[in-house]
Short mmCIF file of all heavy atoms in Angstrom, two decimals:
data_model
loop_
_atom_site.label_atom_id
_atom_site.label_comp_id
_atom_site.label_asym_id
_atom_site.label_seq_id
_atom_site.Cartn_x
_atom_site.Cartn_y
_atom_site.Cartn_z
N ARG A 214 19.39 -56.55 79.60
CA ARG A 214 18.40 -57.62 79.78
C ARG A 214 18.22 -57.98 81.25
O ARG A 214 18.84 -57.39 82.12
CB ARG A 214 18.81 -58.84 78.95
CG ARG A 214 18.75 -58.57 77.45
CD ARG A 214 19.38 -59.67 76.62
NE ARG A 214 19.15 -59.45 75.19
CZ ARG A 214 19.86 -58.59 74.45
NH1 ARG A 214 20.85 -57.91 74.99
NH2 ARG A 214 19.58 -58.43 73.16
N ARG A 215 17.37 -58.96 81.46
CA ARG A 215 17.03 -59.39 82.81
C ARG A 215 18.28 -59.69 83.64
O ARG A 215 19.22 -60.33 83.17
CB ARG A 215 16.13 -60.62 82.74
CG ARG A 215 15.65 -61.15 84.09
CD ARG A 215 14.68 -62.29 83.87
NE ARG A 215 14.14 -62.78 85.14
CZ ARG A 215 14.67 -63.77 85.83
NH1 ARG A 215 15.75 -64.39 85.39
NH2 ARG A 215 14.11 -64.16 86.96
N ASN A 216 18.29 -59.18 84.88
CA ASN A 216 19.39 -59.38 85.82
C ASN A 216 20.70 -58.78 85.32
O ASN A 216 21.79 -59.27 85.65
CB ASN A 216 19.59 -60.86 86.15
CG ASN A 216 18.43 -61.43 86.95
OD1 ASN A 216 17.63 -60.69 87.50
ND2 ASN A 216 18.34 -62.74 87.00
N GLU A 217 20.61 -57.70 84.55
CA GLU A 217 21.78 -56.95 84.13
C GLU A 217 21.65 -55.50 84.61
O GLU A 217 20.54 -55.00 84.80
CB GLU A 217 21.96 -56.96 82.61
CG GLU A 217 22.34 -58.32 82.06
CD GLU A 217 22.58 -58.29 80.56
OE1 GLU A 217 22.14 -57.32 79.90
OE2 GLU A 217 23.19 -59.25 80.04
N GLN A 218 22.80 -54.88 84.79
CA GLN A 218 22.82 -53.48 85.22
C GLN A 218 23.74 -52.67 84.31
O GLN A 218 24.85 -53.12 83.99
CB GLN A 218 23.27 -53.34 86.67
CG GLN A 218 23.23 -51.90 87.18
CD GLN A 218 23.70 -51.78 88.62
OE1 GLN A 218 24.89 -51.92 88.89
NE2 GLN A 218 22.77 -51.54 89.53
N PHE A 219 23.28 -51.50 83.92
CA PHE A 219 24.08 -50.56 83.14
C PHE A 219 24.33 -49.34 84.00
O PHE A 219 23.41 -48.81 84.65
CB PHE A 219 23.35 -50.17 81.85
CG PHE A 219 24.07 -49.14 81.03
CD1 PHE A 219 25.04 -49.52 80.12
CD2 PHE A 219 23.79 -47.78 81.17
CE1 PHE A 219 25.72 -48.57 79.37
CE2 PHE A 219 24.45 -46.84 80.42
CZ PHE A 219 25.41 -47.22 79.51
N VAL A 220 25.58 -48.86 84.01
CA VAL A 220 25.93 -47.67 84.78
C VAL A 220 26.56 -46.65 83.84
O VAL A 220 27.57 -46.95 83.18
CB VAL A 220 26.90 -48.00 85.93
CG1 VAL A 220 27.23 -46.72 86.71
CG2 VAL A 220 26.30 -49.05 86.85
N ALA A 221 25.98 -45.47 83.77
CA ALA A 221 26.56 -44.36 83.02
C ALA A 221 27.32 -43.49 84.02
O ALA A 221 26.74 -42.66 84.71
CB ALA A 221 25.47 -43.55 82.32
N ALA A 222 28.64 -43.73 84.11
CA ALA A 222 29.47 -43.04 85.10
C ALA A 222 30.38 -42.04 84.42
O ALA A 222 30.58 -42.07 83.20
CB ALA A 222 30.30 -44.07 85.88
N ALA A 223 30.96 -41.14 85.23
CA ALA A 223 31.87 -40.14 84.69
C ALA A 223 33.11 -40.78 84.08
O ALA A 223 33.71 -40.25 83.15
CB ALA A 223 32.28 -39.17 85.80
N THR A 224 33.50 -41.95 84.60
CA THR A 224 34.67 -42.66 84.09
C THR A 224 34.36 -43.48 82.84
O THR A 224 35.25 -44.08 82.26
CB THR A 224 35.22 -43.60 85.17
OG1 THR A 224 34.17 -44.46 85.63
CG2 THR A 224 35.74 -42.79 86.35
N GLY A 225 33.09 -43.51 82.44
CA GLY A 225 32.69 -44.26 81.26
C GLY A 225 31.59 -45.25 81.58
O GLY A 225 31.44 -45.67 82.74
N PRO A 226 30.81 -45.65 80.58
CA PRO A 226 29.71 -46.59 80.82
C PRO A 226 30.22 -48.00 81.03
O PRO A 226 31.28 -48.39 80.52
CB PRO A 226 28.89 -46.49 79.52
CG PRO A 226 29.88 -46.08 78.48
CD PRO A 226 30.88 -45.20 79.17
N ARG A 227 29.44 -48.78 81.79
CA ARG A 227 29.80 -50.19 81.99
C ARG A 227 28.52 -51.00 82.21
O ARG A 227 27.50 -50.46 82.62
CB ARG A 227 30.73 -50.35 83.19
CG ARG A 227 30.13 -49.97 84.53
CD ARG A 227 31.13 -50.17 85.66
NE ARG A 227 30.52 -49.94 86.97
CZ ARG A 227 30.46 -48.77 87.57
NH1 ARG A 227 30.96 -47.69 86.97
NH2 ARG A 227 29.90 -48.66 88.76
N LYS A 228 28.64 -52.29 81.95
CA LYS A 228 27.50 -53.20 82.13
C LYS A 228 27.99 -54.42 82.88
O LYS A 228 29.10 -54.90 82.64
CB LYS A 228 26.92 -53.60 80.78
CG LYS A 228 25.66 -54.46 80.89
CD LYS A 228 25.01 -54.70 79.53
CE LYS A 228 25.77 -55.69 78.69
NZ LYS A 228 25.00 -56.09 77.48
N GLU A 229 27.16 -54.93 83.78
CA GLU A 229 27.51 -56.13 84.51
C GLU A 229 26.29 -57.03 84.68
O GLU A 229 25.15 -56.57 84.64
CB GLU A 229 28.12 -55.80 85.87
CG GLU A 229 27.20 -55.04 86.81
CD GLU A 229 27.87 -54.78 88.15
OE1 GLU A 229 28.38 -55.76 88.75
OE2 GLU A 229 27.86 -53.63 88.61
N VAL A 230 26.56 -58.30 84.87
CA VAL A 230 25.51 -59.29 85.09
C VAL A 230 25.37 -59.50 86.59
O VAL A 230 26.36 -59.70 87.29
CB VAL A 230 25.84 -60.62 84.38
CG1 VAL A 230 24.75 -61.66 84.66
CG2 VAL A 230 26.00 -60.40 82.88
N LEU A 231 24.13 -59.49 87.08
CA LEU A 231 23.84 -59.69 88.49
C LEU A 231 23.12 -61.02 88.69
O LEU A 231 22.48 -61.52 87.75
CB LEU A 231 22.96 -58.55 89.01
CG LEU A 231 23.41 -57.12 88.73
CD1 LEU A 231 22.33 -56.14 89.18
CD2 LEU A 231 24.73 -56.83 89.42
N ASP A 232 23.21 -61.57 89.89
CA ASP A 232 22.38 -62.74 90.15
C ASP A 232 21.03 -62.27 90.68
O ASP A 232 20.87 -61.12 91.11
CB ASP A 232 23.05 -63.72 91.11
CG ASP A 232 23.40 -63.10 92.46
OD1 ASP A 232 22.56 -62.37 93.02
OD2 ASP A 232 24.51 -63.36 92.95
N ALA A 233 20.04 -63.15 90.65
CA ALA A 233 18.68 -62.77 91.02
C ALA A 233 18.61 -62.26 92.46
O ALA A 233 17.86 -61.33 92.77
CB ALA A 233 17.74 -63.95 90.83
N ALA A 234 19.41 -62.86 93.35
CA ALA A 234 19.39 -62.44 94.75
C ALA A 234 19.90 -61.02 94.92
O ALA A 234 19.38 -60.25 95.73
CB ALA A 234 20.23 -63.40 95.59
#
Side-chain angles (χ1 to χ4, degrees):
R214 294 170 173 79
R215 183 175 183 268
N216 292 345
E217 291 183 343
Q218 183 181 72
F219 177 86
V220 180
T224 55
R227 64 180 186 272
K228 185 173 75 170
E229 61 178 309
V230 178
L231 309 174
D232 58 44

